[in-house]
Each structure stands twice: as structure tokens, then as C-alpha cells.
Amino acid sequence: MPVIRVEDLTVGYGDRVILENVSFEVRRGEGFVVLGTSGCGKTTLLRSLIGLEPVQAGRIWIGEDELTGADDARRLRILRRFGVMFQNGALFGSLNLLENVRLPLEEFSTLNREAMDFIARMKLEMVGLKGAEERLPAELSGGMQKRAAIARAMVLDPEILFLDEPSAGLDPVTSAGLDRLILDLAEALGITFVVVTHELASIFAIASRVIMLDREQRGIIATGTPAALRDAPPNDKVRQFFRREAAEVKR
Amino acid sequence: MNSLASRKPTTADECPGWQAGLDADGTRRIELSGVLDRERVEILWVRANDFVREDHSERWVVNVRGVSELDGAGLALILRLQADVLARGGRFEVEGLSEAHRRLLARFDPKGYAERVAVEPCCQRLPDQVGRATAQIWDDFRTQVTFIGELTAAFAEAVRRPRSVRWSDVWLAAERAGADALPIVALIAGLVGLVLAFQSAMAMRPYGAEIYVANLVTLAMLRELGPLMTAIILAGRSGGAFAAEIGTMTVNDEVAALKTMGLKPVSFLAVPRVLGLVLMVPFLALFANLAGILGGAVMFLTLDYPMSAYFDQVLSSAEPRHLLSGLVKSVAFGLTVAGVGCLRGLQTARGPSAVGASTTRAVVAGILLIVILDAVLGTVFYFIGF
């Protein structure tokens, strides 16, 4: 059974439709990457999948639970199954990193304080932020904030982890370390990753399958493994993306 | 053999188990079983920690072959044990861990996890508190002196080169702090005058001296309450606004951008605001005086005196020195309110709550300094007969 199932999803803002009749499935334990050029609706799709963006039509299942049209109790149950890392980190500015990461444990676990602190420190070390526990988000660089946000998203060991542009703004070494971490977590803990990213290196490192969205077609224009799409692109847009070619300027 | 497996949760298979045994060679052997996840690891956490702390075997082997599920919290328990054993010089092995879990566990350096996380003290010790408070007050004092020096130098420069002042910002600050504040200043000063008149009339009635209520209201408004009420309103209204505006600029690195362009934040941001407010505050104080005296007149309508008697008393008691001393105070208050607002704005730290904190500090410090300054000036004016 797929861990995420999307059927004929249509999302937009008012009269402006961003995505139309989008359907796909994400299998358990896979690294699923959503890619596409700027403004094609990647983040909108991600926000729909996590229930932040109301859908105009279509259905979304997280496991066996349908997210679209779920009542509050079911919605809360579904939300606990995934963690989310937002593009800008979205850390709470008044809490230090340890408190930020510990917060979901305080709300959704019965662990004692020592265990919660221990696990939060582990997650911070996992993303390379050991020693920064007491620092406030404002004292960190953008990349460090992002890594702390990943630690917070992972702290409950969710089934699915949604990451919005995790590598953007990171140096290549940190970015590669993050990719390695994603692979280790997927393998050891069976976490499914849904990642929105532009970074080709990350795509090839972590993606077992990708979908590519297109702004003009308002939907998916390619599905497959990164290597297959690179080697046999089904259309020009996919070819341009994987070969990093500039689109021709139309007069 | 110790067994913790008898404690609750869902099914017996899922319940995490802990079996401790001792090998012939002194190796402490721990057999973990069941589901070790966030929901269930709590059952073992405290007991396992206590056990490893009390048992000082040198070699430890933890076998997880019987564990059916292991998540991050389960790995945390293993790391917790490992850290404690290694910290006291022991040896630690884990058996039965999958390659993927082993790789994940290897990401952590057990050093640093051995010490228990200190529970945050509920309160600091008194000497610590006194020391920190003293250091903070001293730092604050130094910063204020530095700021006053910079502001004075910036004003001296402004006098020398008036064209260097951003006059458009001055008029904007004057409009916002002055003209826009007129209704609230008039309302509050008028009501204060009214209340003052009623209260003093009660005290004077037994002596038949109600006519002197006019004198009291006039004197109190001109010398004290007009400037004071105006300054307090400005501290809440304009001082807070200055701190919030400049604080937001600090958080957004606009102040840093000014510095990198070679511009002085005090000249660029503080001087126009201070100048705008100081220019307007005497007029606001005059307006407050007038509103307060008119408020007193409303009370006078309830007495059996003609209204002309009230204004005769007002004119006879309103000596120029009373008016002047109030205006001198108002200028001093204006300088204080604007200066503190700008200073707190420039001192804004990072983070989303920093602007709010600066605004609060500006208002509180502004009002406090106004009252202190009022007491000092009131005493000085009394002794010099001004």
C-alpha cells in the first residue's frame, strides 16, 4: 500500500489554478523528489500534502487515512504521522534550539524530561549542530536554521518527512552530509522522504523516484528515476532541467 | 536476572523487555526485546539508567536481537547506556543491530552524552542575581552616556551644518509626535484639570476658599501637570514608536547597512526624531495647560461664582515664571523621551521578540526618567525661586 496517494488533485488561489488533475503515489521508504522550475507549484503541492493548502478538487490519502475532508480528530492523527521542514526553517525565535527540537516531544510523548532532552540533543548532533543547543535561531546562519528545522521535523521519528528545499543555501559538504543522513534514516528507520528541491546533486543522491511539474501544463510532465529522466528525457523541458540548459527566450 | 518486561503497554509482544545477566568472565550482558520506540521506550528509560549507573561492570554487551522495532528513541536508549559505560572507562558492544542502525548509531559521539542534562534551576541565587543586575545597570549606564555623547556631537554637527539634517524626517516626526498627539493630550489634560479641580474644591470648601481652586489648577497645570502629562503620553506614544521603528530597522539589518555606507545611525535616525519631538513638545505642553485650565473651569460651573471670576484668578496666578518653568521641563522631558526611544531602538537584539522588548523598555525607562527628572527639576526650581 502506498504511504501517500494523490488522485486528481487540483489546487489554486481563487480563479488561478496552479495544479490541475495531478495524480501520483509515494511508496513506503522511498526518497520521492518533486522538482520543476520556479513557480511550477512544487511548494503548493507540498503544502497541499501536509494539509496547509485547501484543495479545489481531488483526494489525498496519507496511508489509509484520507486527508482531504478529514475531521479535526482524524486530521490530528494524520498530522502526527509526518514531520515537515519548511523552506526558511520556521523555528520559534523565542526558544533555543534544544527547546525548539524538544517541543514536539513535550506535546506528543510521555517521555520524562531527561529522555526528551537526550533525544533532542541526538537529533541536533545528527544534523551537525552538537554544541549549539543553547543558541537562539536568530544567532544562527540560514543553513544552520534549516538543519535545526530538520532535527525538529525528525524528533518524533515520523513515517514521512516532507522537506522543502533542504539543500538550498547549504555548502556542498553540508548538503552532501544531509543527503547521506536522509539515506541512512530512510534505511534504518524506514522513513519516507518527500523532498522539494532544485539541487541536481541532491536529486541524484537521495531520489529513488521523481516527478517533474510544469507551470504551463499545471501538472506532472515526467515521472521516473533521476537517471532514467536524465538519460532518456521524455521532453525538452526535462532535458533542459537535467542538462542545466537555459530555456530559449521567446520573443 | 532482572526483568522489567512485566510493565504495561499494548500487547506482550510489543512490550519492551530488559534481561540483565552476568557472564562468567564478568561481562554484563543485557538482552533487549520487544518494540523499542518513542511510545514504549519510556518504560525502560529510568530503570535502565539507574541500573547502568549502579552496576560498574567493565565490559557491557547489549543484545538487541529480540527487538522487533527500533526507532530513534530506542537508539537513544542504547546511546544513553553506551555513553555512561564509556565515560567511566568501560567497554561497550551492541549485538544484533542491523547495518543501517549501526551506521546511524555511529553518527553519534557518546562523549558529551554521559553527563545528565542538568535540570534548569528554578531561580538564581541572590548573589548571582545582584551581580548580574549590577553589571547590567553599569553596562546600561555606559551605553546611555555613550549615546548622549554621540547625540550631542550629532547636534553640534547639525548646528554647524544645518543642511546635513534630514529635515523631511524632522517634519514627519514633528507631525506624528506633535500634531497627531494633540487630541489625546487635550483629552487627558482636560480630564486631569477637571478631576484636580473637584478634589481641591472638596478640600477648600470647609474654609470657603473654593475660589482659589482656579489658582491651584493654574499653578499645578503650568508648573507640573501640563508638562508631565504631555511627557508621559509622548513616552507611551512616540518613545515606543521610535523604539519600534528603529528596532525593526536594526533587526532587518538596515542599521547595519547604514554603518557600512559610512553613515552614523545616531545622526541619520536619532537626530531627526529627537529634533522633531523636542520642537513640538513645548507647544503640546502649552496646549495641555490650556486644556487643563478649561477642565477646571467646567468644575467651576457647579459653584456659585461667575465664570469671569475663575479666569480672573487664573490670570492673576499665571505668572510668566510658572509658565516658563513648565516649558523648560517639557523640553527636558521631550529630549529624554525621544532619546530613550531612539537608544532602545538602536540597542534592539536579534529575534522576533526583540522589537517588542525594546519598545517596552523604551516606554518604561522613558516614564521612569521623566518622573526622576521632574523631581530633580522641581527641587532645583524651588530652591532657586524659579
Side-chain angles (χ1 to χ4, degrees):
Chain A
M1 186 171 184
V3 71
I4 299 173
R5 187 151 52 95
V6 176
E7 274 184 14
D8 298 325
L9 182 73
T10 299
V11 194
Y13 305 101
D15 294 337
R16 196 160 65 90
V17 175
I18 307 292
L19 297 168
E20 199 167 16
N21 294 326
V22 170
S23 300
F24 62 90
E25 286 182 355
V26 180
R27 297 170 206 134
R28 189 171 298 278
E30 78 176 342
F32 187 84
V33 172
V34 180
L35 51 88
T37 51
S38 299
C40 68
K42 299 186 296 293
T43 298
T44 302
L45 175 63
L46 188 82
R47 290 174 67 86
S48 304
L49 295 179
I50 59 179
L52 288 181
E53 215 61 71
V55 305
Q56 292 179 347
R59 304 171 81 178
I60 299 170
W61 278 271
I62 304 290
E64 63 284 0
D65 290 316
E66 185 175 354
L67 179 64
T68 37
D71 58 23
D72 285 349
R74 194 204 295 176
R75 194 179 178 77
L76 191 62
R77 197 170 68 234
I78 296 170
L79 291 181
R80 287 188 193 180
R81 297 174 65 172
F82 57 74
V84 183
M85 190 223 85
F86 291 92
Q87 198 167 354
N88 59 1
L91 297 171
F92 302 113
S94 57
L95 305 180
N96 66 30
L97 289 199
L98 188 76
E99 291 164 338
N100 258 290
V101 176
R102 193 178 61 206
L103 186 65
L105 286 171
E106 288 172 359
E107 295 299 318
F108 298 115
S109 84
T110 53
L111 293 168
N112 64 43
R113 174 67 179 272
E114 198 257 336
M116 285 194 283
D117 278 356
F118 193 91
I119 293 170
R121 289 165 71 204
M122 270 178 77
K123 301 295 179 189
L124 284 169
E125 184 181 1
M126 212 181 240
V127 294
L129 288 174
K130 190 176 185 180
E133 291 88 351
E134 304 295 324
R135 292 169 72 181
L136 290 169
E139 298 167 351
L140 303 175
S141 69
M144 290 168 86
Q145 288 187 25
K146 217 164 238 194
R147 282 186 279 150
I150 293 175
R152 188 178 65 182
M154 289 190 316
V155 77
L156 291 176
D157 293 315
E159 277 177 62
I160 310 163
L161 204 51
F162 292 97
L163 307 174
D164 194 0
E165 302 278 7
S167 308
L170 298 186
D171 63 87
V173 177
T174 309
S175 179
L178 200 58
D179 293 341
R180 186 68 245 165
L181 173 68
I182 288 173
L183 291 174
D184 283 353
L185 287 170
E187 195 180 355
L189 305 180
I191 297 177
T192 306
F193 285 88
V194 177
V195 184
V196 167
T197 184
H198 281 115
E199 308 286 324
L200 280 176
S202 284
I203 292 168
F204 281 101
I206 61 176
S208 41
R209 213 153 51 89
V210 303
I211 57 171
M212 184 166 173
L213 302 178
D214 181 62
R215 185 164 51 178
E216 285 159 15
Q217 296 195 23
R218 297 189 291 208
I220 299 171
I221 56 167
T223 309
T225 64
L229 294 184
R230 179 196 56 196
D231 298 339
N235 55 53
D236 281 351
K237 285 179 177 168
V238 177
R239 182 176 54 78
Q240 282 171 346
F241 187 90
F242 278 94
R243 295 185 186 171
R244 303 186 68 189
E245 291 175 358
E248 230 177 285
V249 179
K250 291 178 183 169
R251 288 180 184 277
Chain B
M1 287 276 190
N2 295 331
S3 176
L4 309 179
S6 55
R7 296 171 63 179
K8 72 165 187 187
T10 29
T11 67
D13 287 345
E14 289 178 340
C15 192
W18 164 287
Q19 300 286 329
L22 201 58
D23 289 353
D25 63 353
T27 300
R28 172 59 70 191
R29 184 170 291 278
I30 306 292
E31 306 280 343
L32 293 175
S33 59
V35 176
L36 271 186
D37 66 0
R38 177 171 49 82
E39 305 287 331
R40 299 167 185 85
V41 79
E42 184 207 5
I43 296 168
L44 293 186
W45 191 275
V46 176
R47 293 283 297 271
N49 275 306
D50 290 345
F51 187 90
V52 79
R53 248 202 317 263
E54 287 161 15
D55 187 310
H56 288 264
S57 305
E58 198 203 330
R59 183 161 183 260
W60 285 65
V61 176
V62 172
N63 189 339
V64 296
R65 284 195 184 90
V67 174
S68 54
E69 279 184 43
L70 184 68
D71 74 353
L75 275 179
L77 180 70
I78 296 172
L79 182 65
R80 160 91 280 169
L81 301 175
Q82 183 185 21
D84 277 357
V85 172
L86 295 183
R88 57 175 185 245
R91 286 177 293 157
F92 189 90
E93 286 172 40
V94 189
E95 289 179 349
L97 209 55
S98 72
E99 188 49 39
H101 280 112
R102 193 176 292 281
R103 220 171 26 238
L104 204 55
L105 191 62
R107 283 180 167 271
F108 304 103
D109 178 5
K111 286 178 201 160
Y113 286 99
E115 73 272 14
R116 297 307 196 261
V117 179
V119 177
E120 291 157 18
C122 62
C123 51
Q124 291 177 329
R125 289 185 308 158
L126 185 64
D128 283 352
Q129 285 182 350
V130 172
R132 283 174 202 278
T134 308
Q136 196 173 354
I137 290 169
W138 175 243
D139 279 351
D140 220 27
F141 176 72
R142 286 179 57 181
T143 313
Q144 285 176 24
V145 170
T146 308
F147 178 75
I148 290 168
E150 286 180 1
L151 195 61
T152 308
F155 270 116
E157 176 70 13
V159 170
R160 210 160 51 84
R161 291 174 47 227
R163 301 186 91 181
S164 68
V165 178
R166 295 174 57 81
W167 290 105
S168 59
D169 287 353
V170 173
W171 303 135
L172 188 66
E175 184 190 335
R176 287 182 181 167
D180 293 353
L182 267 180
I184 186 76
V185 167
L187 178 70
I188 290 181
L191 291 175
V192 166
L194 179 75
V195 171
L196 182 65
F198 271 118
Q199 299 299 332
S200 50
M202 277 175 67
M204 291 179 179
R205 187 171 297 143
Y207 310 103
E210 288 150 305
I211 187 71
Y212 293 111
V213 165
N215 299 55
L216 190 145
V217 169
T218 306
L219 211 63
M221 290 308 298
L222 294 188
R223 291 193 68 96
E224 191 64 44
L225 291 177
L228 189 67
M229 295 314 297
T230 304
I232 288 174
I233 294 165
L234 287 181
R237 208 177 164 277
S238 305
F242 289 172
E245 283 169 14
I246 299 176
T248 306
M249 293 177 79
T250 307
V251 170
N252 290 340
D253 280 339
E254 292 171 48
V255 174
L258 282 177
K259 287 178 186 168
T260 56
M261 284 187 261
L263 299 169
K264 292 177 183 163
V266 170
S267 304
F268 196 85
L269 299 173
V271 167
R273 286 172 173 79
V274 174
L275 206 53
L277 195 139
V278 168
L279 283 176
M280 294 309 291
V281 75
F283 296 106
L284 282 174
L286 274 176
F287 204 76
N289 293 341
L290 184 63
I293 290 168
L294 289 177
V298 172
M299 189 287 296
F300 219 71
L301 292 173
T302 64
L303 302 178
D304 293 332
Y305 295 100
M307 189 51 74
S308 59
Y310 179 81
F311 287 108
D312 283 345
Q313 289 298 115
V314 168
L315 290 174
S316 67
S317 59
E319 293 176 32
R321 68 189 176 101
H322 297 320
L323 181 67
L324 208 58
S325 74
L327 293 182
V328 168
K329 276 185 180 179
S330 72
V331 171
F333 294 160
L335 268 172
T336 306
V337 166
V340 168
C342 294
L343 172 64
R344 295 306 184 205
L346 289 169
Q347 283 179 320
T348 303
R350 312 289 297 189
S353 59
V355 175
S358 287
T359 308
T360 306
R361 290 175 70 202
V363 174
V364 172
I367 292 174
L368 184 69
L369 287 174
I370 287 165
V371 174
I372 293 171
L373 199 59
D374 189 37
V376 171
L377 289 176
T379 309
V380 171
F381 289 170
Y382 177 80
F383 282 109
I384 64 173
F386 182 48

